[in-house]
Every structure is written in structure tokens, then in C-alpha cells.
Amino acid sequence: MRPDILNPLFIEAATLDGVGPKMQKPLDKLGLSRVRDIAYHLPERFVTRRAVHNLDEASVGEQVVVALTPTQHKASSGRGPYRVLAQDEIGNICSITYFGRASYTAKKLLPVGEKRWIAGRIDQYGQMLQITHPDHVVADSADTLTRLCEPVYALSEGLTQPRISGLVAQALERLPELPEWIEKGQFNAEQWPDWRDALKLAHLGEHESARERLAYDELLANSLALLLVRADNRQRKGQPLIGDGHLRAKLELPYTLTGAQSRSVDEIEGDLAQDTPMLRLLQGDVGAGKTVVALKAMLIAAEAGKQAALLAPTEILARQHFETLRAMARPTGVEVALLTGRDKGKARESILMGLLDGSIDIVVGTHAIFQDSVAYRDLGLVVIDEQHRFGVAQRIMLTNKGKSTPHTLAMTATPIPRTLTLAQYGEMDVSRLDEMPPGRQPIDTRVVAQERLDDVVSAVERHIASGQQAYWVCPMVRENETEDIAAAEARYAGLKERFGDDVVLVHGQLKPELKDAAMERFAGGHAKVLVATTVIEVGVDVPSATLMIIEQAERFGLAQLHQLRGRVGRGSEKSVCLLVRGGALSETGRERLALMRETQDGFRLAEEDLRLRGGGELLGTRQSGDAPFRIATLEQITRLLPKAHDDAKILLERDGGLAGSRGEAARILLYLFERDWGVQMLRGG
């Protein structure tokens, strides 16, 4: 149970003054549903503004405060922006621009003919100066707007900087005094503030040690939880799975396993033979052959008289795995079944009965295979594909399905630098497939300028005329007029005009059934071009798709580009990846695209991604919502994680674990960062 001292932090955000049903929606979009979330919603940056008398004194890109008088309100049709034209004291015109449903706000804040002090960033749109979504609009004086280091928070539609600042201030007032969980020597050496002071200071700017301490807390909570899982796993009683090889001998593989595949199979076989349940991660680059390694592991379970289950994150992936495994396993005679949430009636009953009586050896499916209604005769091995989509808490749930704790093999196609593997998979042993199977053709990767888009479309026309298929990936779903960003919907509309029903669209905002229907049309060859956002990044396997176009490729991280490129080159035909770059290419963007042309080694690209991004996103996962950390930056993870890991080990091995004097504080830390599945690992915890 969560310690009572944390209750003020875990009550709903609706208890804060000014939060009604209308404001709840934008808060929920940002994941700020509780007081704790708002307190930890740290500023993205801090701004210092300069007061100017007129726009001639301001530079493009500068944060300023300037007095402007609105002269005209201009609403656009459709999704266009709402603009308020205003002039300074010497007659310079500026557009104050709002996107979304902001016209009411603009009319209220900026009445025609009445002078207002506007705080925001000066940009240029065409020939006109522009301030987009000003941070502040006040009627009285500029003085209050030029204070030093004002925090700038991430917003969603319906929130303003003053509104979110007010909510943060209320949340910080509710912070309780918490005991110190950091090891005393480490705490003193770093000269960090205590937890409550650190959280308050982190919202004020120029307090790097405060943010550092909060990042360390997050890393310590994660390390401690993963170590608790590992310790618990070693204490659990599993069942040794020792196969005699008779099923594996019947496999008719058209190729010889690589050294890395053979090594990984040996490591897994050694783990399965122990009575401690296996907890192993199989890291394999795109196309490195994880599936055959997983099949061999599942056949060992079948040889030992047990069942195996493969859990996939989506129904499309589950169906692909089922077809692949069933074809590969056919010579062995083992029974492979598919179970998803879509299965109903007699078909579902038949599968449930087969799992219960043991006539099904291997089941493949989505989370449906672990629902309460699904029972196994004797589940010995669980294989989890795309491990990062599930997390430790969900994996703990799976251990209840076997007579004793089943062995677990997790797989990921995302190459992770060695320095970061500890952060996400610290409780697991790791096997790496770092060789490509022989015969796999390299993908011809080229960089194309945006101006040659017409040539690219013509290439697509020739490509599909030859009977092949293509992906076209865009970085965003809809146009944002402030930036020249390719949008999937706009690109789909243009290509559909040219190619008709041969084009389908998939993005994260589509209803699941529409997304699945589009994917199935493409996978079945009934559609020739799939326009998509990065939802196709992992797992989609269409051998006849041999052309990948990634628009505005410089906007993607290296690891993401590599994953997307890996959607082609899956058949025997030569494949091509076109990286379409925009005009304004940074030095980092240029280096990133050059590396993509130079190498197809995902592990090398992941290491380079880490070097190039510095304190940025963790291998593109923040873009897709899969990041394990909300506070710690990449730079902090690489620098502080080893210390946090050692601190967690000291707590468990020297300082009495969660039962010791520091342990009570550490327990609070685990609940604070919602790593309480680590507490659940303790007997009676």
C-alpha cells in the first residue's frame, strides 16, 4: 500500500483551484492528472525578456515585451490560424497569431484599439513580423513581464503559461516533508538540496543541482525496482526445461544459424535447464533473426512437455508471428495457435480447451492470452516481443499463469547502447544478435532533396507498376502552419489523387479497427502504397514492400530512421530507402543522414545516436511515448545511472534493504515514482 505521507501528492488535479472539467482535458493530454504530475511538470526552458519601445529595436528570434495596439482581427477558414494585426507606437505592423480554438481568447485579450503589453518571441512569417501564442498579454505595465528566468512549460490546447504556473505553485505548496533516501556519503558529496527544496528550486531556473537531484531520484527508483525484481526472481522456484532435441532436429531451415544466433540459443538453453526462472533479453537488430531463436526456445519447452506463449504488442504483429512460426514449425508437428481479443464463439472456446488440455504447444497472441479466462495445462515459457511496450509490471502478471513461475524470454528489435541497457533492462541477462544472417541484401540508402519530390512520386509510380509496394513515412499527422512539416494526411490526399485506391493511410490517431483494416489491405497486397507516421516503426513485415520513403528525414533520430528502414529488405528483391531532406539542414542532421548511408549496423547507429543527441531524447522513444524516464535526460542517464545503480545495491546488500532504516525512505521513493511493482516483489511487501 502507498505510504500515507504521499497521499497529498496522489489526489486528483481537480482538487486544485481553477481546475474544472474544461481544464481537465488539456491537463490529461499532458499526463497531468494528479498533484504529483503537476509538481513534476518541470519547465522546458527559462526565458529572460527585454522590454523594447518598438519592433525596430527587436531581433527575429528574440524574447521581448512590447506595447502593441490591435487594429484588425482576421479569422482563417478551416484549420488555419486566427490572426490579430497590431501596430507599435511608431506604426510597425505585427501579426499576433493563434492556432486551434483560440479565437475567443484572442478577442477577449486583444480588443481593437486598446493598447496591450505583449510578451513573446518575435518571428518572421513571409514579410511580416509575428508573435505566435504570446506568453502574456497584459493591460497595465510591462514591468511584471521582464522578471528574470521565467519558466516556460510544455502546454496543450486550452492551457496558458500563467495558468500552468498557477497550478504548479499550488502543487508545490502541498509537498510533504519526506525522509532522505539517497545514501549519506553520496548525498553529502554531491551537495544536493533535500527533495522538497529540489522540486521547488527546479521550477525557478539556474538551479542545476536541483534538477540533477530529481533526475538521480528517478534513476535510483528505477535501479532499485529492477534489482528487487532480479533478487525476487532468484528466490523463486521454477521448473527446469531440458529438451532432448527431437523436435529441433526436425526443423527444415533453409539457412545455417549465425554465430550470434547459435550463441544465444546456447545461453537460453542453459538458463532453461535451471530451476531458477530465466529472465533474459534477446536484443536483435532488424532482420537479425530473433524469431528462429525464440522458436528454438519454445521447442525446448515443448520437448520438455511444457507449453510456450508468445505475447505481441499488436494484433497485426501477433498474426505475423503466428503465420511465421506455424510455417517454420510445421515439420516438427507441434500445434501452434493464435488467440487475440477478436476471437469469439466456438473458435475461441476451441483454443481455450486446447490450452487447458495441452493439445496446443505454442500459443501466439496479444494480451488476451493472459486474461483470467485463459488457463494452461502447464505453461513453461513466456516470450515477449517488443519488451519495451509492456514493462515489468505487466510481466509480473504473467508469472501467475504457470504451475510454477515460467521462464521469460523478452525480445526487442531496438538496438540499445550498452550504456543504456542497464537503465531499461537492469534485472535481465542479455543476449545480443549482432550479426546479420547470410544472404540478406543491404538496403540501398539515398538522400534526396525536398525539391525533387515530383521525381520521388514518379519513382513510386514506376515501382508499383512493376508489382512492388512502398511505404511513405511522414513525421506528423496534420499540418502545422508555423513550420514546414510534411503531414501524413496531406501526403495521403495527394498520392490518393494520383494512385486512387492503391494508397492507404495509417497513423496513431486512427481508430484501431481502421488502422488494422488499412494494414491488412497493404500486407495482403491489395494496396500498393502505405502512407504512415512512425506507427509502422516496429514489426511490420511485408516482403514485397521494397521501397521506403521517409519525408523530412532530418527530423527523426538515427535509431528511428534505422527501424523504419528495416521495414524493407525483408524479401529476396533489392530494396531502396529514400531519405527526403528539408532545406534547412543542421550539422547534426547532415551527419545523421550521412551515417544512415554509411552503415546498416543498428548497434553502431544507436551508439552514434547517443553521441549526437547529447541531452536529447532517448533513441527516439520520447517521440513515441516509450521513454522509461520523464525527468532524467540522456546525458544524466549515462552519467548518473552507474552511481544510482551502485547506491541501490548498497541499500539492498549493506543497508538492510527496504526493512532497514534507509529502506523506509526508499519504499516511499518507489511509490513516488510508481515503481511500486518493486515493492510487490518482496514477500509480504
Side-chain angles (χ1 to χ4, degrees):
M1 259 180 69
R2 184 191 301 129
D4 290 344
I5 196 169
L6 292 178
N7 287 344
L9 294 174
F10 281 86
I11 56 175
E12 299 298 310
T15 59
L16 298 173
D17 292 343
V19 180
K22 198 172 178 183
M23 195 189 283
Q24 194 68 55
K25 277 188 177 177
L27 288 176
D28 287 345
K29 265 189 184 174
L30 291 169
L32 308 180
S33 58
R34 301 156 308 184
V35 170
R36 177 219 175 273
D37 305 324
I38 291 172
Y40 272 103
H41 188 59
L42 301 181
E44 290 188 315
R45 56 193 170 86
F46 295 87
V47 297
T48 305
R49 296 191 187 85
R50 186 168 67 92
V52 296
H53 293 101
N54 58 64
L55 294 166
D56 286 349
E57 295 178 6
S59 305
V60 171
E62 188 182 6
Q63 292 282 351
V64 300
V65 180
V66 62
L68 298 173
T69 304
T71 58
Q72 185 184 358
H73 284 241
K74 294 176 73 174
S76 302
S77 57
R79 297 181 188 276
Y82 188 90
R83 300 184 191 278
V84 181
L85 299 184
Q87 63 181 27
D88 65 14
E89 62 179 26
I90 60 172
N92 291 315
I93 301 292
C94 179
S95 169
I96 305 165
T97 304
Y98 292 87
F99 288 90
R101 303 188 189 100
S103 57
Y104 174 76
T105 305
K107 286 171 188 169
K108 190 176 168 187
L109 290 177
L110 296 160
V112 171
E114 295 187 25
K115 184 160 73 172
R116 293 289 184 265
W117 275 266
I118 313 290
R121 177 186 147 114
I122 297 283
D123 289 307
Q124 188 143 5
Y125 182 72
Q127 296 301 307
M128 186 176 285
L129 293 176
Q130 175 172 282
I131 298 175
T132 304
H133 285 280
D135 296 329
H136 300 281
V137 177
V138 299
D140 45 8
S141 158
D143 296 343
T144 57
L145 303 183
T146 53
R147 56 197 171 116
L148 197 62
C149 272
E150 181 179 327
V152 178
Y153 296 96
L155 301 175
S156 64
E157 193 176 300
L159 279 177
T160 61
Q161 291 295 341
R163 189 67 59 87
I164 198 78
S165 293
L167 295 179
V168 166
Q170 288 185 64
L172 294 178
E173 283 172 16
R174 300 191 183 191
L175 298 182
E177 281 276 10
L178 298 181
E180 188 53 68
W181 43 71
I182 298 173
E183 193 271 327
K184 204 169 185 176
Q186 168 83 357
F187 181 76
N188 292 336
E190 299 289 353
Q191 296 185 311
W192 283 329
D194 66 30
W195 170 77
R196 189 162 70 162
D197 287 345
L199 203 42
K200 289 179 176 179
L201 289 169
H203 288 274
L204 297 178
E206 295 183 0
H207 292 285
E208 274 309 304
S209 67
R211 283 190 89 117
E212 189 100 334
R213 188 244 148 90
L214 297 178
Y216 184 84
D217 289 345
E218 186 176 39
L219 296 170
L220 178 60
N222 197 68
S223 294
L224 184 54
L226 293 177
L227 286 173
L228 286 168
V229 172
R230 192 179 183 92
D232 173 81
N233 196 64
R234 285 175 174 160
Q235 291 170 19
R236 285 178 181 267
K237 196 75 176 161
Q239 46 186 343
L241 305 184
I242 300 171
D244 59 8
H246 75 279
L247 293 176
R248 284 169 285 167
K250 293 178 183 176
L251 281 175
E252 297 172 1
L253 300 176
Y255 48 80
T256 305
L257 294 190
T258 64
Q261 285 174 313
S262 298
R263 185 180 66 242
S264 297
V265 170
D266 289 345
E267 289 167 348
I268 291 163
E269 188 168 12
D271 284 358
L272 293 176
Q274 308 303 313
D275 58 8
T276 299
M278 174 175 73
L279 214 49
R280 183 168 285 277
L281 174 72
L282 180 63
Q283 267 191 296
D285 201 352
V286 178
K290 295 184 301 298
T291 308
V292 70
V293 173
L295 175 59
K296 288 215 169 196
M298 291 189 278
L299 289 178
I300 293 171
E303 289 167 2
K306 310 297 182 187
Q307 293 166 295
L310 188 150
L311 176 63
T314 66
E315 193 166 309
I316 292 166
L317 273 176
R319 289 184 183 281
Q320 283 182 189
H321 277 307
F322 168 65
E323 297 294 348
T324 304
L325 291 171
R326 186 172 60 167
M328 288 170 74
R330 192 168 285 124
T332 69
V334 301
E335 187 66 31
V336 184
L338 174 71
L339 181 63
T340 70
R342 196 185 288 187
D343 296 306
K344 300 283 186 285
K346 286 186 178 176
R348 179 180 171 80
E349 284 175 27
S350 171
I351 295 167
L352 294 183
M353 188 56 69
L355 292 172
L356 191 57
D357 66 20
S359 57
I360 292 175
D361 302 291
I362 296 171
V363 64
V364 180
T366 55
H367 62 276
I369 62 178
F370 292 105
Q371 288 170 345
D372 290 342
S373 58
V374 182
Y376 296 78
R377 183 182 65 79
D378 197 352
L379 181 63
L381 172 65
V382 174
V383 179
I384 303 173
D385 188 30
E386 290 313 324
Q387 151 71 13
H388 67 280
R389 302 284 183 94
F390 295 102
V392 181
Q394 286 153 300
R395 199 172 63 244
I396 290 166
M397 176 188 76
L398 314 185
T399 61
N400 300 325
K401 285 293 180 183
K403 289 178 180 175
S404 57
T405 303
H407 297 271
T408 302
L409 175 66
M411 305 193 294
T412 179
T414 306
I416 301 167
R418 293 181 192 277
T419 46
L420 296 181
T421 304
L422 190 66
Q424 286 175 278
Y425 306 111
E427 85 287 17
M428 293 181 144
D429 298 307
V430 179
S431 294
R432 271 192 164 200
L433 298 181
D434 47 13
E435 297 174 55
M436 296 305 280
R440 187 169 166 96
Q441 291 193 53
I443 298 161
D444 183 4
T445 304
R446 307 172 199 169
V447 178
V448 181
Q450 186 84 20
E451 300 83 66
R452 292 184 55 203
L453 217 51
D454 288 346
D455 295 340
V456 173
V457 174
S458 298
V460 171
E461 188 165 34
R462 292 192 298 274
H463 190 77
I464 63 178
S466 70
Q468 294 177 307
Q469 294 170 279
Y471 296 99
W472 191 305
V473 177
C474 304
M476 287 187 69
V477 178
R478 292 194 175 90
E479 293 283 0
N480 176 345
E481 287 196 17
T482 60
E483 295 182 78
D484 179 25
I485 295 176
E489 288 179 342
R491 185 61 60 216
Y492 167 69
L495 291 173
K496 191 170 175 61
E497 206 171 288
R498 182 146 175 181
F499 302 122
D501 290 339
D502 274 342
V503 186
V504 289
L505 173 69
V506 171
H507 60 68
Q509 293 173 25
L510 277 180
K511 289 180 179 175
E513 56 270 24
L514 293 175
K515 201 190 302 181
D516 286 353
M519 287 299 308
E520 281 173 17
R521 277 200 68 212
F522 185 70
H526 307 298
K528 300 299 182 188
V529 182
L530 175 65
V531 179
T533 53
T534 55
V535 293
I536 63 152
E537 186 180 330
V538 170
V540 180
D541 189 0
V542 182
S544 58
T546 53
L547 175 61
M548 167 62 73
I549 296 153
I550 305 173
E551 201 167 345
Q552 303 223 342
E554 73 277 5
R555 293 181 178 271
F556 295 92
L558 267 176
Q560 221 173 8
L561 288 172
H562 179 64
Q563 288 294 319
L564 290 166
R565 177 171 61 183
R567 296 309 102 220
V568 295
R570 307 181 82 80
S572 55
E573 298 288 328
K574 179 79 175 165
S575 290
V576 175
C577 175
L578 299 181
L579 304 172
V580 182
R581 61 165 177 81
L585 202 59
S586 68
E587 196 51 49
T588 300
R590 197 179 304 279
E591 196 173 341
R592 201 179 278 161
L593 298 185
L595 277 162
M596 284 294 294
R597 290 183 61 193
E598 183 186 319
T599 182
Q600 295 185 28
D601 179 345
F603 289 103
R604 185 190 160 198
L605 287 170
E607 296 287 353
E608 291 292 339
D609 207 15
L610 181 62
R611 179 182 65 80
L612 287 173
R613 282 172 181 256
E617 296 156 343
L618 171 59
L619 303 177
T621 55
R622 285 224 167 118
Q623 276 176 300
S624 55
D626 294 325
F629 304 111
R630 292 191 64 166
I631 299 163
T633 64
L634 196 55
E635 186 273 330
Q636 286 170 326
I637 293 167
T638 52
R639 185 165 45 80
L640 295 177
L641 182 65
K643 294 180 183 178
H645 191 72
D646 289 346
D647 193 354
K649 282 173 80 172
I650 288 170
L651 173 63
L652 293 180
E653 294 169 9
R654 189 197 75 188
D655 293 353
L658 298 198
S661 55
R662 184 157 76 103
E664 204 50 52
R667 188 184 290 258
I668 289 170
L669 172 71
L670 288 168
Y671 276 98
L672 178 66
F673 280 97
E674 295 178 288
R675 299 297 200 274
D676 41 293
W677 37 261
V679 183
Q680 292 161 23
M681 291 290 91
L682 295 178
R683 306 291 182 203

